[in-house]
Amino acid sequence: MVEETKKITEMILDAAQKAREETSNEPEPELTRPLQWPIQATIGPGLEGAIACESKIGYVNGSKGWLIYRGYDIFDLCAYSTFEEVSYLLLMGKLPTAAELEEFKLKLINYRFLNQTLRMLMSSPVESMNTMSALRLGTLLTRRLITLLDLEDGSPTPADYINSDEDSIPMETAPIGELHAIYEFKHRSDDMDDTEACFHLIAGLSTITAAISRIRQGRMPLEPNPKLSHAANLLYMITGREPTAVEERVMDIALILHADHGMNASTFAAMVVASTLSDIYFSVGAGIAALNGPLHGGANEQVVRTLIEIGDERNVKSWVEKSLASKGKIMGFGHRVYKTYDPRARVLGVLAKHLAETNESIKPLFNTAQALEKEVGTQIGTKKKIFPNVDFFSGIVYSCLGIAPEMFTPIFAVSRVSGWTARVLEYLENNRIFRPRAMYTGEFNKGYIPLDQR
Ligand code: CMC
């Protein structure tokens, strides 16, 4: 078994080498620097190009295909690290020592037990709910367990509200940001601090996701197994059997790959909510809501549905032509930032190939995916710089691990919660409420027409 997981490490290092070779002609990026606010930026629709804050958490470079967490290359993290270590790294800013990692793991083990939350969640029709709305509901229910924000002493003071209200800060056009955090999730029980709530969420989302999956299969949720790693326990709680070493390793890598990705839509949504001095549970709820959409995390489920719809690799060419003629977006392709191959798709691609080779029912799906990648590349790839993104191969990988398509996006959230919480905590150190503007292009000076004359 060790040999088999060693092979996976080698595959990742080979993918890293290929990435370096293929992007070697791209110019070296201008490295980043601290900003002097206010700054000038060229902004496109959808806030493209806008810089909303400074961050030390992660870096994405679209032409080199770099993804870096706290200074570490994603390929190295996939090859050598674990999701627990990576979550600690994102939140705490450094890799843990052995003792710190043990302590962190112990916390996650304890926080995975969400019996009260699951009891409350099961009073809803989870079996027929959209899985992301069930996850969001479950996440908000966990809030009751350790945040006391509904109580008087847990609420931010009026001064906090006023300080963060954009209308009370006379700098709408010249933002300088707050110098200090004005709210740090500190108002809970004595032994709870801000990061503790983040650990609670990182552990808890896996339990809720697995419970939703079980309930949809008509089964009872399983208790977490404290002996297992985060990845292995997630698979165990979903499938009811302890995963093999290879399955555990693949799940772990998938979780590492999805943990953080700059100011993506769901991270931004979580940060916007936090910036109003709402709490981290509401923030993560907003992240889940934003991740649900097919242009973001929902694409992974749609990719597998597309591959099933195409049916056979021989149908790929005509399917792509038809889809492009109708101006449809092909799920799992394209990215706002990457104008080269997404490094996450490189890793997931080799993992999908490795798993599909020995999985007769998934093999045809993988073959169709390969044909689709080639055809999209030929028809628009080079011209528009459209390549497979993280969502293209993840569904195939998850299918090989025994996970149902409707659970793919919740699994994305199980991982991305590390990035959401890390970035929210970091942003709150210099919080300023998010408040961009829209250019009004409507009419003025219209006379009011009474209802009976319209
Ligand atoms: N299929 C076909 N054409 C595409 C695609 C695609 N998937 N993506 C982009 N294009 C074309 C687009 O039509 C446009 O062409 P033109 O310049 O001729 O009008 C050009 O490429 C630029 O696209 P855009 O829509 O302006 O790019 P964007 O940065 O606004 O959107 C995106 C990025 C990811 C939303 C988009 O590529 C897309 O909708 N992809 C499909 C959904 C998907 O796979 N989402 C997962 C994203 S990665 C992980 C995550 O965030 O969860």
Side-chain angles (χ1 to χ4, degrees):
M1 257 322 159
V2 178
E3 274 309 305
E4 282 189 50
T5 55
K6 223 168 105 190
K7 193 168 165 200
I8 291 176
T9 306
E10 284 161 13
M11 280 159 35
I12 293 168
L13 296 175
D14 287 347
Q17 180 60 24
K18 193 164 176 239
R20 276 192 291 274
E21 283 165 13
E22 283 180 15
T23 57
S24 62
N25 289 336
E26 293 293 333
E28 286 303 310
E30 213 182 277
L31 287 173
T32 58
R33 60 184 192 288
L35 297 171
Q36 284 297 325
W37 298 97
I39 56 154
Q40 302 280 339
T42 303
I43 299 170
L47 293 181
E48 183 174 4
I51 295 173
C53 59
E54 292 173 42
S55 175
K56 291 185 167 47
I57 292 175
Y59 176 66
V60 185
N61 183 280
S63 51
K64 280 286 196 187
W66 288 354
L67 173 57
I68 289 165
Y69 297 167
R70 299 271 191 195
Y72 298 94
D73 187 278
I74 193 67
F75 289 110
D76 284 345
L77 292 172
C78 286
Y80 307 120
S81 192
T82 62
F83 178 69
E84 286 89 329
E85 235 189 22
V86 164
S87 297
Y88 187 98
L89 171 71
L90 290 170
L91 270 160
M92 313 303 281
K94 67 176 193 79
L95 285 172
T97 61
E100 286 165 342
L101 185 60
E102 276 320 298
E103 195 190 336
F104 179 55
K105 281 186 184 170
L106 210 59
K107 285 185 180 196
L108 294 183
I109 287 170
N110 289 331
Y111 285 142
R112 275 184 211 126
F113 287 84
L114 291 178
N115 302 358
Q116 275 189 51
T117 298
L118 293 191
R119 269 206 303 277
M120 288 190 281
L121 182 65
M122 286 170 76
S123 65
S124 303
V126 174
E127 64 285 353
S128 55
M129 281 170 81
N130 166 294
T131 51
M132 286 294 272
S133 57
L135 178 62
R136 185 158 173 263
L137 174 62
T139 302
L140 293 176
L141 290 172
T142 61
R143 175 180 181 273
R144 286 174 53 106
L145 290 181
I146 70 168
T147 63
L148 303 177
L149 282 181
D150 298 334
L151 301 181
E152 193 94 54
D153 64 351
S155 304
T157 65
D160 290 337
Y161 286 125
I162 291 164
N163 281 340
S164 64
D165 179 343
E166 87 274 15
D167 293 332
S168 69
I169 302 171
M171 295 176 298
E172 186 90 6
T173 52
I176 57 164
E178 291 287 307
L179 287 181
H180 298 290
I182 52 175
Y183 178 63
E184 295 178 331
F185 305 129
K186 284 261 159 68
H187 311 280
R188 291 189 197 89
S189 61
D190 291 344
D191 57 344
M192 285 292 173
D193 70 4
D194 45 2
T195 34
E196 211 65 29
C198 300
F199 299 164
H200 183 231
L201 280 157
I202 292 170
L205 257 65
S206 68
T207 304
I208 300 168
T209 295
I212 294 166
S213 178
R214 298 284 295 180
I215 294 167
R216 289 180 68 93
Q217 297 164 34
R219 294 162 193 262
M220 288 298 283
L222 284 174
E223 276 216 330
N225 180 342
K227 294 203 181 85
L228 299 179
S229 70
H230 199 69
N233 180 61
L234 174 66
L235 284 175
Y236 162 72
M237 287 192 298
I238 290 175
T239 63
R241 82 171 162 78
E242 282 191 30
T244 63
V246 168
E247 289 168 330
E248 173 182 6
R249 180 89 175 93
V250 168
M251 187 73 244
D252 208 13
I253 294 166
L255 293 176
I256 293 170
L257 284 172
H258 288 81
D260 184 64
H261 206 252
M263 294 285 281
N264 60 88
S266 58
T267 300
F268 186 48
M271 290 168 67
V272 169
V273 169
S275 83
T276 70
L277 303 188
S278 185
D279 73 44
I280 188 77
Y281 295 84
F282 280 130
S283 297
V284 168
I288 293 169
L291 188 69
N292 180 48
L295 296 189
H296 193 9
N300 54 15
E301 185 181 339
Q302 297 306 324
V303 170
V304 167
R305 300 206 189 283
T306 299
L307 296 174
I308 292 169
E309 183 194 317
I310 295 173
D312 188 282
E313 44 191 310
R314 282 167 301 188
N315 305 334
V316 163
K317 192 168 189 297
S318 58
W319 187 91
V320 172
E321 281 165 356
K322 210 167 127 197
S323 172
L324 293 177
S326 65
K327 303 253 178 269
K329 289 271 172 69
I330 303 172
M331 292 294 127
F333 287 90
H335 200 273
R336 173 64 61 82
V337 182
Y338 292 120
K339 299 305 165 199
T340 180
Y341 213 104
D342 183 332
R344 303 165 300 172
R346 284 186 193 274
V347 174
L348 288 165
V350 294
L351 294 180
K353 183 165 191 275
H354 182 66
L355 295 177
E357 263 163 13
T358 52
N359 187 322
E360 284 310 315
S361 61
I362 306 292
K363 212 172 181 177
L365 221 58
F366 179 75
N367 292 340
T368 308
Q370 268 194 319
L372 183 61
E373 177 183 350
K374 203 162 160 222
E375 192 58 38
V376 172
T378 310
Q379 296 206 27
I380 54 167
T382 334
K383 197 168 84 198
K384 295 194 182 179
K385 300 203 171 180
I386 304 281
F387 299 89
N389 59 46
V390 67
D391 291 322
F392 189 62
F393 291 110
S394 61
I396 294 177
V397 168
Y398 297 149
S399 299
C400 292
L401 297 177
I403 299 169
E406 67 273 13
M407 298 313 301
F408 296 169
T409 315
I411 298 278
F412 194 153
V414 167
S415 164
R416 186 56 59 87
V417 65
S418 296
W420 291 333
T421 50
R423 289 194 181 250
V424 161
L425 282 194
E426 182 189 57
Y427 187 74
L428 287 173
E429 283 170 21
N430 290 293
N431 185 42
R432 189 153 195 252
I433 191 167
F434 280 104
R435 211 311 191 172
R437 283 174 161 175
M439 176 63 72
Y440 178 70
T441 56
E443 297 170 82
F444 287 99
N445 299 326
K446 294 186 85 177
Y448 182 80
I449 305 166
L451 188 58
D452 59 357
Q453 290 169 37
R454 279 175 233 161

